[in-house]
Amino acid sequence: MMVLAVGCGIIWLAYSEQEKIIHQNQKTMAEEVSMTISTYFSGLADNLQIVAKSSHFSSLPLSGQKEILIDLLTDKKKMFHECSVLTPDGHEILKLSRFYTYMPYELGNLSSDPLFIRARNGEPAFSPIYIYPNTGLISVDIAIPVINEQGSVTHVLKGTARILSLWKMIEKIDMGMSGYAYVVDNKGHFIAYKTISEILEKYGTLMTAYPPVQEFVSGQMTKKDKISSYIGLQGKEVIGSYAPIEGTDWAVITELPTSEAFENITRMIQITLAALIIGVICSILLGFFLSRYLTDPILNLTTTVDRIGHGNLETEIYEISRPDEIGILARGIARMQKNLRDTYLDLELRISELTLAREELRISEEQYRTIFEHSENPLILVEKDCTITLINKKFEELWGYSQKEVVGKKKWTEFVANQEDLDRMITFNKRRQSGDKNVPNMYDFRFKTYSGEIRDILISVTQMPGTGQTLATLIDVTEQKKFEQELIQKNRDLHEAYEKLTANEEELRKSYNSLATYEQELRKSEQKYRSVVEDQTELILRFNPDGKVLFVNDAFCSFFKSDRDEIVRSGLTFSGIAAFASELLNRISSLAKENPMVTFEQKFLVPDSEEKWLNVTIRGIFSESRFISEFQSVARDITDRKRAEEALERARNKLSLLNAITFEDIRNYVFTLSGYLEVQKDMIPDAGIISLIEREQNIVKKVSQSIEFAKDYQDMGIKPAHWQNVLQVYLFAISHLDLSHIERIEEIKGVYVYADPLLEKAFSNLAQNLVTHGKDTITRLHIYTKMQETDLVIVFEDNGQGIPDDLKEYLFTRRNDVKKGLGLYFVSEVLAITGIRIQETGIYGKGARFEIIVPQGKYRTE
């Protein structure tokens, strides 16, 4: 009975301890997978947040936003493969993909999309995981609000990210030979798994029949610290646990088959039970034959068993060689001793395995600490009481604090330079510690460095699950803030210039009114004289308000193939001019003393059924009592011009449509080819083949640049030229360039030039050329004007290295060895549309100097 009790006690203790360890491991595994997913999604959201907050994204024109999104897709190509910008009412105004080019008619309205609605309300939002239709990749959508300086949501930035790499990270987590994990939403629906086929088959399936999913959906923990075994996702009995995913309303469910979980303890129980059975049999035999043997052998065996019961497994057993029952009992005890020794050794092996597992956990912790220490951004780990328990090397390098000065001695509140920021951050921390999920994870505050310098910081906060600790990422945005303030000041300057222009416009309006009054007086005087003569080619007709014809010239009669006397006798009711007269009567109703003249172009059907176009001007002649006394109509035959214009317009539309379709097709093919090359590079481990693919990508990029230039070149001259403010166009042109390291001097206010609408792009190419070729030497960029006889000269000059004299003649040609593109050739072609010239007159070694020569009549100053 003693052997049976001890054996059962050992089995019970070992089983209980093993069960506790298994449930704890499952909980730890679920939290590790949850943190991996949360960290990955936080990284996705951080990338979009940085784009949304950088360079006044909300105030940029559509082209500027497009360039930023293209840079994001290029730089983060392993994370994002599609981005779009939506207005607050849900319309897609911009949509870019690495594998497909969206046409304007393909942009839709997502106002009813729950993801858009959450982002519109000011919080980042994640969609369920799904299969991206264009590539078959496992993907997720992230929506981020774009907020202006007034705190209003101006746009919603939506990105589609691939999460294949996330599953690769999860697969590296040790979940046992047959363990696995899947993801459910807050309603208990299945949304993600490691195999695509399983996602396609079970996506959206309600999983609340499983105990971990029930606990997560209900939000109530069981009274026990563990979940009993149950039939899991793969139809096997499993031990399961769950962990919420920080930053989302999802949870990770981890399951391990009980056959694997209890494999070792089951084997140990079997061995122990076998030993117990043998011990019980031996005890029964001993009791049965006790009266047949002498007391000493029995006492010896009893003493031996007692020693074994006290753990002395090396005790010598006597009477083994006896052939009788005592000998059999002795040998049984010996076998039991051997079995117990084997069981003990097996337990020692299990303990060694647990020790090894603990060591692996320690190594894993060191790996995470290494990642923490070598992060490119300053990181801090904060306890519930705001004490800083860990900082990385980047924090020490940037702001002068050492580990000894900060860790365990300072609270993060000591680094906040502004009381308002401190109150706001303390409020956020309290809400976050209390479990509030609606606390912003990213916001700005003012940071005080070791030297007392105040820096603008963008902080990203992540709650560490199960510990109460907070991990904060600090991004220095001081220079970005300064640049934003410069842009705001420039905007104010432009506003002041606009107010001055408004005042000038009012003065011009007053002058115009004076001229209009003077013109009316001249027209009254002109009514006393006959204004036309018979030999003019224009069609002239004069009639009174009653429709009586007072005068027609020969050209009018010849055009309508009618007799003068018949027209004068019949008046406007004459059948030969009925259509023309009807149009005149319709138009004269709008004439008044203040608006005595109207001009229009109209198509008429003249005798012999021939269609003719006329440019007609009708003037009302008023008496001193302000009533119309006569009407005078002067018409000009413009049939040939109209036909030529219509033919030209049809040809232009056909050519423009053909070019647009061709450019879009080529661009789609290039973009798709670029996407496939990128996917192919991820699939091929051979470094040599990857190098060839990268060269192919460079060639595809150059083809894309050539297509864009051809598209811009096609647009030249399509739209009519107009007057443009040179300073305003220049500022818009350089707004997309990084000129923070260059001193800019603009002395060109109030100058207007008559140029093609592509003038802004020409200025942008010119500035880009200066910055690109002189990025290491240029510290100053100066733009100003001067007069050269009757021409206006706009000068762009810098203090860089300049351009050698033997290369200047090739600068503005279509192909040259000085530059790797067509930028300056494009600039010269755009300017030449309205007769403007450009030349380079700088001195090599002292800087480049581009002079734009605007001829008289093509510029004005205000």
Side-chain angles (χ1 to χ4, degrees), residues 27-43 166 169-170 173 242-248 250-252 254 364 368 381 462-471:
K27 187 69 175 177
T28 302
M29 190 186 308
E31 291 176 352
E32 186 174 355
V33 175
S34 170
M35 177 168 291
T36 300
I37 296 175
S38 177
T39 303
Y40 189 85
F41 279 19
S42 177
L166 172 60
M169 294 166 60
I170 294 175
I173 299 174
Y242 78 94
I245 301 175
E246 183 72 21
T248 70
W250 308 337
V252 171
T254 57
S364 177
Y368 282 113
L381 189 64
T462 301
Q463 195 77 17
M464 305 295 288
T467 64
Q469 296 176 324
T470 301
L471 177 65

Side-chain angles (χ1 to χ4, degrees), residues 130-173:
Y130 66 97
I131 306 302
Y132 187 65
N134 289 338
T135 62
L137 298 175
I138 305 177
S139 306
V140 66
D141 292 337
I142 308 102
I144 297 295
V146 180
I147 303 175
N148 61 13
E149 294 180 352
Q150 290 74 32
S152 301
V153 177
T154 61
H155 299 83
V156 170
L157 183 60
K158 179 182 175 185
T160 301
R162 53 188 292 187
I163 63 171
L164 180 62
S165 57
L166 172 60
W167 284 113
K168 291 181 179 178
M169 294 166 60
I170 294 175
E171 287 175 355
K172 295 180 181 178
I173 299 174

Side-chain angles (χ1 to χ4, degrees), residues 723 726 748 751-755 759 763 785-795 831 834-838 851-860:
W723 290 98
V726 176
I748 195 169
V751 177
Y752 290 77
V753 297
Y754 188 73
L759 179 63
F763 278 9
T785 60
K786 67 176 183 178
M787 294 302 300
Q788 181 175 299
E789 296 180 354
T790 60
D791 296 337
L792 174 71
V793 180
I794 303 173
V795 181
L831 296 175
T834 53
I836 302 175
R837 296 181 291 111
I838 183 171
E851 294 185 350
I852 298 175
I853 303 171
V854 186
Q856 187 178 18
K858 298 299 175 62
Y859 66 87
R860 71 167 189 252

Side-chain angles (χ1 to χ4, degrees), residues 351-362:
I351 293 172
S352 298
E353 291 176 352
L354 291 176
T355 304
L356 180 60
R358 186 182 296 112
E359 181 64 17
E360 291 176 351
L361 288 175
R362 184 187 64 78

